[in-house]
Every structure is written in C-alpha cells, then in structure tokens.
Amino acid sequence: MDSISIISFLIFIFFCAFIFSVANSSTLGVSYVSPLLEIQERERAPSSVQLTAAYGVLNRLTPSHFSSFEFHIIPKEHCGGEFCFNISNHPGSARDGSPEILIRGTTAVDILSGVHWYLKYWCGAHISWRKTGGSQLASVPDPGSLPAVQDAGVLVRRPVPWSYYQNAVTSSYTFAWWDWKRWEKEIDWMALQGINLPLAFTGQEAIWQKVFKNFNISTSNLDDFFGGPAFLAWSRMGNLHKWGGPLPQSWLDQQLILQKKILGRMYELGMTPVLPGFSGNVPAALKRVFPSAKISRLGNWFTVNSDTRWCCTYLLDATDPLFVEIGKAFIEQQLKEYGRSSHIYNCDTFDENTPPVDDPDYISSLGATIFKGMQSADSDAVWLMQGWLFTYDPFWRPTQMRALLHSVPLGKLIVLDLYAEVKPIWATSKQFYGIPYIWKVTLLFFFCASDVVFPIVSVLFTQFICPVSVGTNLKVVFLTGMCMLHNFAGNVEMYGVLDAVGSGPVEARTSENSTMVGVGMSMEGIEQNPVVYDLMSEMAFQHSPVDVKAWIDLYSRRRYGRFVQPMQDAWNILYHTIYNCTDGAYDKNRDVIVSFPDVDPNSISTLQTVLNDVHEQYGKRYLRRAILEEPNDSYDKPHLWYSTSEVIHALKLFLESGNQLSDSSTYRYDLIDLTRQALAKYANELFLDAIEAYKLDDLHAVAHLSQKFLGLVEDLDMLLGCHDGFLLGPWIESAKELARDEDQERQFEWNARTQITMWFDNTELEASLLRDYGNKYWSGLLRDYYGPRAAIYFKYLIESLEEGKDFNLKAWRREWIKLTNSWQSSRNVFPVKSRGNALNVSQWLFEKYLQDLGSHDH
C-alpha cells in the first residue's frame, strides 16, 4: 500500500470514529419500546455466559489471535444509555503475551461487532459466508503486531437498538437442510455483523404437534397439514398444505433439538430471537373436531387447477374464542420447551391474503385479537409484523392501514419496512402512523426503516388472514424497522442499490417524528452479493450517510487483502452499474438460461423502431436489441438495468488482476460470479437472435445460434464448477444427510430438487405457476437440467422451420414438463467439491464469447 493510500485510509478511519462518537440519537419509536428493552436487559444472559460465548466465536474465527483480545461487558450507562462497543489499546499491551486490544460492549453481540469493526478498519480484513469466498484474514498482522487505535479509543453507538435478520421464507430457501455445524457458523456470522434480532422459526412443527394434540388433532391428521422440509415456510403461512410431505416423526424431533441449540446460542450471545406466533392457520381436522368454530377455507394459492390436495388451507377466524385459546397454547408450549423467550413474536396474518371486508372497526378487531392471543400467554408480548402487505395489496388504504396499526397498544407492535431500499413505506405512511418500525433491505435484503414500510416481499409470502375483534380503544404507536429485501428465492444474480443502503436508514431515522427502532436484512436467500450485506450490516452502527464511493474503494482492498489498481477500477464500475439499480423494479432473476420462456416464439416481440441498431449475420439483417414482451402471465422478461459493455470492461480488469489475486478464494468467487453475470446477459441476447432468425425463416441461423446457446450453457456449468459456492451437489447431499432411511432420503431429495425447478404442482401440459421461482446458477443444474430443457425448445423451433408448420407449443410443454418431473425424481449424484482453475476458465470464456462485445451494449 503506497503512502498516499495509507493516509487516505487513516483519514477514513478517523472520520468513521468521529461519526460513531455522536451523541444519543434515539427516535420516538425507541422511547415507545423502552419498557421491553428494560425487561430484556434484566433477562439477558449473565456477563460471564456472554463473554464465554464471545470468546468462542473469536476462537472459531481466528484461533491464532485468541489471546490478542480481551472482552468486557459494560452497562448501557457507559454509552449514554445506548447499545455500543468501545475499542481501545489494552493497558498491558506492552508486555509480552498480554492482550493487545480491549473491546468492551453492552452485549456479546456488540463486543463481536467491535471485533469485526477493528479487523475491518484497522487490519483491512473482510468477513463473509464461506460459500461467497469466506473470510479474508490474511491481512491481519501476526499476534504481537496488531495495529494500535488512537489513545482515546473508539466508541461506536447503535443509533437504534435492533438489527434484524431473516425473512419468513429464508428458512426454506437457505436453511432447509442445515445441521448444527452450519447453524453455529451462521450465528457466529450474525454476531460479527451486529445482528441481535433474528427470526428463530426452526422446529415449530414439533411444537404444533403437541399443541394440536391437546385440541384432539391426531398426528396422522397433521400429515395433511405440514408441508415437506423444503416447503415448510409456506405451510406455516397457510399458502399450502401437504406438498412435499408428510413430515417423518424423526424430522420433527431432530428439528426441535436443533432449535433448542440455536436458541441457546443466541441467548448466550445476548441476542433477541423472535419466535413465531399464531396467525390462524389450522389443519382441516380442526373443523371436524370443532364444527361450530368459525373456520373458513381460503382460495387457491398458485396450484394449477385449484388442487385441494395442496391448496385452499383453513383459517380460524380471529373473532372466534378458539383463536385466542390456540394462540395462547402455542406460545405457552414454546415457553415450556425453551424455558424462556425474548417476548417478541412474529405473525403475518394478512400477507398476500386480503381481509373479507374493509370496515376499519372489523380490521381493528382482527389486529386486537391476534395480539390478545400472544399477550394472554406472555404479558410482555410484542407483535412483530412484516409490512409487505402495505406495499403490494391496494386493499390497505390509509384508513385500513391505520385501523390495523392502531389496534394494538402503543409500543406493542413493530412493523418491518420490508422493501425499504426500494419502496419505503415509512415515507408515505407518516412513519407508519406513529408505530415503531424496522428499516429493512429485502434484496431480497432486509432493511428495517422507522416510520416507513418498505416491503418487497416475493409472491411466496403468506396467504392467510386472521379476523380479530377489539374490545377497547387502545392507544397505539406504529414502531417500525427499515429492512433490505434484496434477494428473491436465493436466486444467483449480481444486484444491489448501494446508495440507498448507505443513506436510507439514516434518512428514515432522522426524519421528523421518526418511529424507527431498527435496521435489518430480510432476504429470501443468503450467500450471494456479499458487498451488499457487508454495507447493510454496518448501517446498524452508522449515524450519518456513508460515502459509498470511498467505502467501495476500501471494500476492494479488504475483500482481497491487498490493493490492486485494476480491481479498484473494476469495483468503481460495478458500483455505478450492477450495484446502482435505480429503476424501481424488483430483481427476480428471469435470465433465459434459468427461467426459459414457456411461450410461442411468435409472441416474443422485437422493437421494430430501433432501425439504427441493425447488424448483419449470415447475410440477414437483425435488430441488435430486442424487447421481450409479456402477452400473458407465462413469461417474465429478464431484468437489465445497467450498461453491459461497462460490466464486460470491469470483467476484463478482474482478469488483469488474476496473476496477483488467483490464490484468493474471495477473488475466485467474485471472478466466477462476474463472468457468470456477463455470460448470462449475453445468453439472453443469443436467445433473442435465435427468435429473430426463426421469424425470418432462417433455418441455418436458428440451428447455429441454438448450438451456440447450448454450448454456452455447458461452458457456464464448467465455470461454476470451479468454486464450491456455485455447486448443486451440496444442496442435494445436505438434504439426504438428514434422512434416517432410504424412503426419507428419496423424499428429501425430491423436495430439494423440486424447490429449485418446478416448485409446485403441474399437469402433463401445464407447468407449475411457480416454475423456476427458486432458480439457481449452480454447476450440475445447468448441465443436467437447464441445458436439456433449452435443447427441447430449440428442437421444436427447428422442426417448425423444416416442416413449414407452426411452433408446436403443446408438444414442447409436454416434453419439458416430463423432463422436469423425471429430473425431480432422479437420484444421480453431483460433486460437492469444486474442480478446475477459475482464472483460466474465465479467461477462456471471456475470449470465446465476450471479448468483441465490450465496445457496445448488447
């Protein structure tokens, strides 16, 4: 690192230190939840327990530096009444063998946030998920040589108390097959990122089994109620039932054991895990046991023909006395099993499920009854609700929204502004009409913003509603959190809105009468786009907007452990292109490779007015840019919000840096991901070129372009196989490892394969309405499934031209659906370890496909 760079680096550090030493900046929302914060403070694990847990995380992260740090728990009064961490030089650091750095914090999570902060800004380190390259700690000096901080130390306060994590469906898209070993790594990661308000949904089916038994519902009755292991998120929300099931008793038992380990570690670290509450979703058998109960059957949720084997679940009306009784029993059973709670319970009764009437009094009664079910079991209960419904459903006009938000006592309802990085609700709802909220990024990322709900939840959220009645007029404050959604279904796509992430939470918190109480990440799937999560987690401690340009310059150094000028330049390009999506569109990956169009080629239109962008090929004239239109709901066009030529130039700079960085796992991951991104967008254009050639009756061109497309899919599969983070094998093998016998192994593997392909039910001629929603760019999946599927479509294109007949859409559908169903049930094995040289393969593919495209957008 040159002297100028070092000076710039130090200036940035001191600037950060200054920002984080600002005075108390609590919002109105924080004052509303202060009684709960005081209760949680009293019930938090003893300091000795938290310190032991914190040292455990440190030892797993960097055992070589275990003795270099000393930790102390301090009261909030040392931080002006807020949560904080303080980094200072250890008083005995001059003595050999003594700790060098002293980190004090209000909880173990805050201490570990301080460790991360120190490693990041004093040692140039980077902490990420293993699948995205893992942590870069090579830049950390040896023990005994750690950099000193300024003599006065560095005090960093949280501007709002909570940092939220997870989405209701992350449990299925990412966590479905996790064991304790993987969960321990994730909880370590959470703590280092400052996350102190995570969802804790694992194992709840075992709780429900015990609860419903007391209501005369047998275990066999629940076989029709619970979904399979890969679809539990949606059966919990009442979207579906039985799909992928039934759940073996061994699954229920082992998941409950796992949940107790998860909760135990979260509590040891001083976290506030959020448990599930009762939303009204009940098994069909309850209607037979309680014939007079107000139980209604919901409508179809994405099944092909309203197939009641999987759809149309049952909802207990919240105005029925049985609702509070079951809600109380559910929380009491959790308290009995787990021994305690943090008093915050999640319930999303109205997501993707509209109340039957819009009368404000009725809506208010619904909200009040839902909360009563929680409060009757836990007098300190607080309801945590995702604010997605206020974004996607026009039913929720100001009057209806206010009625729901004010149906619960002030400080007892917290709203997650789920899509705050793109469409913050707090800004259009007068801070959620005074209710505390969390700013969330839902990239599906999770930004939780104070007085705004910014949800961008996927179409796979809850499908049920809970009618409730209110007995008294209750004064309510809408506490909110801003959240970042960012990712849908764990799709693999480079994407982000870094400027919004770096400023949105601060703007929400400092806005007039803000009720924001936290920030958060609510992605549907993790282990992608580490740069977005690195910045978002930091916003839990930022009091002022971040200079994202300066932050990115440091990020590229930390990510790879050294300064390389071409990489610095490349990341500046990525910051202004891929990570600067400002079109307001949600980024659900619909690239042709992973989400192949199920439409007649003649319905895919080109923009005939762009006459100045015509190119020659095989003696024919073609339009360079085409627009995929949606004549029906069967096809979503790919999302493109940046200059592809600039991104190809960034890839060229990545490749130029290979000689210096090829030994870095983080570099190899990013190189593969960027090459994949560029090739995926190029494949979209190849497909359009083939469609244009088809419309011109150019058989030779269609045949050539089809083969080029299929060859690209094969080549891309080989590229993805060069890094463990892009493999299909681990997903399938982790599912099989949880099975107790051959039947379970077959069932679990079917669940794993189905979620990432067809997702839901189909007929011979009609594909699932959710097909490809969970698509992945994984090696093995491209070669074994996406490529063969595309080949079928191209085969019928060619046959149509050869025989002079219309495209046989029915035959295409029958064949690719049959291929998919066969693949879902197949048992072939895929590698779980990467192979191949990422740099060499990326360079080869760049020269083969992209080298001549860098001068223009395509």
Side-chain angles (χ1 to χ4, degrees):
M1 184 183 293
D2 57 82
S3 59
I4 294 178
S5 298
I6 293 174
I7 292 172
S8 300
F9 183 69
L10 291 174
I11 289 174
F12 181 81
I13 290 174
F14 290 131
F15 177 68
C16 288
F18 172 77
I19 287 176
F20 291 114
S21 64
V22 297
N24 189 303
S25 56
S26 295
T27 65
L28 283 174
V30 174
S31 66
Y32 298 147
V33 298
S34 59
L36 174 63
L37 292 173
E38 291 173 2
I39 292 170
Q40 292 175 337
E41 191 69 24
R42 292 195 300 269
E43 297 179 352
R44 209 177 304 280
S47 296
S48 59
V49 172
Q50 292 190 60
L51 290 173
T52 298
Y55 281 121
V57 175
L58 176 65
N59 190 49
R60 288 186 290 275
L61 175 69
T62 175
S64 60
H65 290 76
F66 179 77
S67 299
S68 300
F69 295 87
E70 184 173 311
F71 300 155
H72 291 172
I73 296 286
I74 57 176
K76 290 167 64 176
E77 287 71 24
H78 288 197
C79 308
E82 297 178 341
F83 292 96
C84 76
F85 61 79
N86 184 294
I87 307 171
S88 61
N89 302 315
H90 194 278
S93 59
R95 299 191 299 270
D96 290 342
S98 294
E100 300 169 76
I101 299 296
L102 173 62
I103 300 182
R104 292 167 288 186
T106 41
T107 67
V109 168
D110 295 322
I111 287 174
L112 291 166
S113 301
V115 171
H116 188 188
W117 199 268
Y118 175 79
L119 293 175
K120 177 186 284 190
Y121 290 116
W122 272 262
C123 302
H126 173 73
I127 295 174
S128 183
W129 295 293
R130 187 190 65 81
K131 285 187 67 173
T132 60
S135 297
Q136 185 288 113
L137 300 174
S139 62
V140 180
D142 292 336
S145 303
L146 292 182
V149 300
Q150 53 264 45
D151 291 341
V154 179
L155 175 64
V156 178
R157 297 189 181 101
R158 290 182 184 265
V160 284
W162 287 316
S163 179
Y164 172 89
Y165 185 59
Q166 294 181 40
N167 185 298
V169 300
T170 319
S171 58
S172 290
Y173 282 131
T174 297
F175 307 152
W177 314 114
W178 282 11
D179 57 11
W180 170 242
K181 182 179 179 181
R182 180 61 187 87
W183 262 110
E184 183 175 54
K185 294 181 188 299
E186 189 68 11
I187 297 172
D188 286 356
W189 180 89
M190 290 183 204
L192 290 160
Q193 305 294 336
I195 293 163
N196 59 9
L197 188 66
L199 291 183
F201 280 9
T202 303
Q204 61 179 279
E205 284 67 34
I207 301 292
W208 277 119
Q209 184 183 55
K210 296 177 182 181
V211 169
F212 282 128
K213 182 179 180 180
N214 292 329
F215 289 87
N216 297 319
I217 304 298
S218 68
T219 299
S220 60
N221 290 148
L222 296 177
D223 287 345
D224 182 65
F225 181 58
F226 298 139
F231 301 96
L232 285 175
W234 300 278
S235 67
R236 291 167 181 170
M237 295 187 292
N239 302 137
L240 55 80
H241 66 100
K242 196 177 182 179
W243 181 251
L247 288 179
Q249 186 62 44
S250 60
W251 171 275
L252 299 175
D253 296 340
Q254 70 183 12
Q255 290 295 296
L256 182 58
I257 293 171
L258 179 59
Q259 169 75 337
K260 291 178 179 180
K261 290 182 179 179
I262 292 169
L263 289 174
R265 181 60 54 82
M266 288 178 173
Y267 287 132
E268 289 170 4
L269 288 165
M271 292 181 179
T272 300
V274 178
L275 296 175
F278 176 53
S279 62
N281 180 33
V282 295
L286 195 73
K287 191 173 181 65
R288 296 193 296 271
V289 177
F290 296 93
S292 61
K294 297 178 183 178
I295 299 175
S296 59
R297 191 158 201 182
L298 298 177
N300 183 36
W301 187 84
F302 293 110
T303 64
V304 170
N305 291 315
S306 297
D307 194 329
T308 55
R309 290 178 298 170
W310 328 118
C311 84
C312 312
T313 56
Y314 290 88
L315 181 73
L316 175 63
D317 194 306
T319 62
D320 192 291
L322 193 60
F323 188 99
V324 172
E325 191 176 344
I326 293 176
K328 177 183 179 182
F330 182 49
I331 290 180
E332 287 180 337
Q333 187 63 40
Q334 291 184 86
L335 294 174
K336 179 180 178 180
E337 291 286 344
Y338 308 144
R340 59 166 298 184
S341 81
S342 296
H343 309 296
I344 301 181
Y345 304 93
N346 170 250
C347 178
D348 296 306
T349 299
F350 305 103
D351 269 351
E352 301 194 13
N353 184 51
T354 303
V357 296
D358 63 359
D359 177 60
D361 290 339
Y362 174 73
I363 293 172
S364 183
S365 70
L366 296 181
T369 304
I370 291 171
F371 178 67
K372 184 178 179 182
M374 301 175 187
Q375 192 178 42
S376 59
D378 182 348
S379 59
D380 297 316
V382 169
W383 177 6
L384 180 75
M385 178 179 69
Q386 295 185 125
W388 175 242
L389 68 166
F390 302 128
T391 294
Y392 87 91
D393 191 343
F395 171 90
W396 295 101
R397 301 180 300 279
T399 299
Q400 287 70 31
M401 185 176 174
R402 188 181 293 106
L404 176 61
L405 297 178
H406 288 194
S407 65
V408 179
L410 182 63
K412 292 293 187 176
L413 175 63
I414 300 173
V415 177
L416 300 176
D417 197 353
L418 203 63
Y419 199 17
E421 82 274 24
V422 178
K423 297 180 179 180
I425 298 302
W426 68 265
T428 58
S429 64
K430 298 181 180 179
Q431 302 279 337
F432 287 107
Y433 303 107
I435 298 298
Y437 69 93
I438 293 175
W439 196 92
K440 292 177 65 180
V441 176
T442 306
L443 267 171
L444 272 165
F445 292 16
F446 172 52
F447 279 94
C448 293
S450 83
D451 300 346
V452 179
V453 173
F454 192 4
I456 197 174
V457 170
S458 80
V459 294
L460 302 185
F461 265 60
T462 48
Q463 177 77 13
F464 47 77
I465 56 175
C466 293
V468 190
S469 62
V470 187
T472 58
N473 293 322
L474 298 174
K475 182 181 180 183
V476 179
V477 173
F478 188 10
L479 304 175
T480 61
M482 289 195 80
C483 301
M484 177 184 76
L485 179 59
H486 181 259
N487 174 272
F488 292 93
N491 295 161
V492 181
E493 170 89 301
M494 294 181 72
Y495 161 82
V497 194
L498 291 183
D499 283 339
V501 173
S503 61
V506 177
E507 292 172 356
R509 178 178 53 80
T510 57
S511 61
E512 184 177 3
N513 297 322
S514 175
T515 57
M516 178 174 163
V517 295
V519 298
M521 297 178 282
S522 56
M523 60 287 127
E524 287 190 352
I526 64 170
E527 299 174 323
Q528 35 76 28
N529 289 285
V531 62
V532 179
Y533 296 91
D534 193 342
L535 178 58
M536 186 57 211
S537 63
E538 191 172 301
M539 296 310 296
F541 300 95
Q542 291 284 10
H543 291 250
S544 300
V546 171
D547 181 343
V548 180
K549 170 63 169 62
W551 189 91
I552 282 289
D553 286 343
L554 281 179
Y555 175 83
S556 65
R557 302 183 190 196
R558 294 190 294 102
R559 177 78 171 152
Y560 312 117
R562 69 192 78 169
F563 171 76
V564 179
Q565 186 63 56
M567 291 302 297
Q568 194 102 335
D569 297 339
W571 269 102
N572 273 301
I573 293 173
L574 297 181
Y575 162 48
H576 292 294
T577 54
I578 285 176
Y579 292 111
N580 185 37
C581 182
T582 57
D583 62 8
Y586 80 98
D587 192 59
K588 180 73 188 71
N589 195 326
R590 288 297 177 187
D591 287 337
V592 173
I593 291 177
V594 297
S595 184
F596 205 87
D598 179 28
V599 294
D600 187 295
N602 292 300
S603 69
I604 301 174
S605 308
T606 57
L607 186 61
Q608 299 297 332
T609 57
V610 188
L611 300 178
N612 61 342
D613 195 17
V614 176
H615 66 286
E616 295 274 336
Q617 190 171 32
Y618 308 115
K620 304 263 185 193
R621 290 167 63 82
Y622 299 99
L623 294 173
R624 171 65 63 182
R625 176 63 64 88
I627 294 178
L628 304 185
E629 296 180 347
E630 293 184 60
N632 53 50
D633 292 333
S634 66
Y635 179 63
D636 287 337
K637 61 185 178 182
H639 183 205
L640 184 63
W641 63 96
Y642 58 83
S643 164
T644 55
S645 60
E646 288 188 68
V647 170
I648 290 173
H649 180 60
L651 175 57
K652 183 178 180 181
L653 294 172
F654 260 74
L655 291 167
E656 290 176 6
S657 306
N659 289 336
Q660 300 180 65
L661 297 175
S662 60
D663 61 339
S664 164
S665 178
T666 49
Y667 167 77
R668 293 193 300 274
Y669 174 88
D670 291 346
L671 174 64
I672 292 173
D673 203 21
L674 183 56
T675 307
R676 176 209 55 75
Q677 182 83 8
L679 289 174
K681 303 311 173 188
Y682 175 60
N684 293 339
E685 295 298 329
L686 271 182
F687 174 75
L688 289 177
D689 285 346
I691 296 300
E692 292 180 59
Y694 171 81
K695 292 180 178 181
L696 292 171
D697 295 326
D698 190 337
L699 178 60
H700 174 66
V702 171
H704 174 81
L705 292 167
S706 299
Q707 288 305 308
K708 191 171 184 179
F709 183 97
L710 296 174
L712 173 55
V713 174
E714 288 282 338
D715 290 343
L716 194 48
D717 190 272
M718 177 175 59
L719 170 71
L720 296 171
C722 294
H723 196 284
D724 291 351
F726 297 100
L727 301 181
L728 168 63
W731 172 253
I732 293 179
E733 293 305 313
S734 61
K736 292 157 64 176
E737 287 171 2
L738 295 183
R740 296 293 179 86
D741 55 41
E742 180 66 22
D743 288 341
Q744 287 185 22
E745 186 174 295
R746 189 179 299 276
Q747 177 192 6
F748 293 0
E749 182 170 358
W750 183 91
N751 269 254
R753 287 171 176 259
T754 297
Q755 190 203 88
I756 59 177
T757 53
M758 194 61 83
W759 208 106
F760 215 1
D761 69 325
N762 62 266
T763 66
E764 288 186 1
L765 287 175
E766 190 169 356
S768 164
L769 300 177
L770 296 175
R771 63 188 178 279
D772 293 326
Y773 189 87
N775 68 68
K776 304 289 189 296
Y777 276 104
W778 282 346
S779 178
L781 189 58
L782 274 73
R783 181 189 68 251
D784 208 50
Y785 175 66
Y786 292 140
R789 178 176 64 176
I792 296 172
Y793 192 88
F794 289 132
K795 179 185 74 173
Y796 284 105
L797 279 182
I798 293 171
E799 283 186 6
S800 171
L801 294 179
E802 288 178 336
E803 299 175 5
K805 298 179 179 179
D806 291 340
F807 180 82
N808 195 333
L809 185 63
K810 183 177 292 187
W812 139 254
R813 283 180 174 162
R814 179 182 288 108
E815 191 168 345
W816 87 259
I817 290 173
K818 181 179 179 181
L819 167 77
T820 306
N821 292 160
S822 175
W823 193 87
Q824 291 169 263
S825 300
S826 59
R827 302 296 305 279
N828 51 320
V829 177
F830 299 91
V832 294
K833 293 293 182 182
S834 60
R835 54 188 297 182
N837 185 298
L839 178 58
N840 290 346
V841 175
S842 292
Q843 182 69 53
W844 173 62
L845 294 178
F846 177 83
E847 294 171 357
K848 182 177 181 179
Y849 295 106
L850 303 172
Q851 189 164 246
D852 297 330
L853 299 177
S855 61
H856 61 269
D857 289 336
H858 57 281

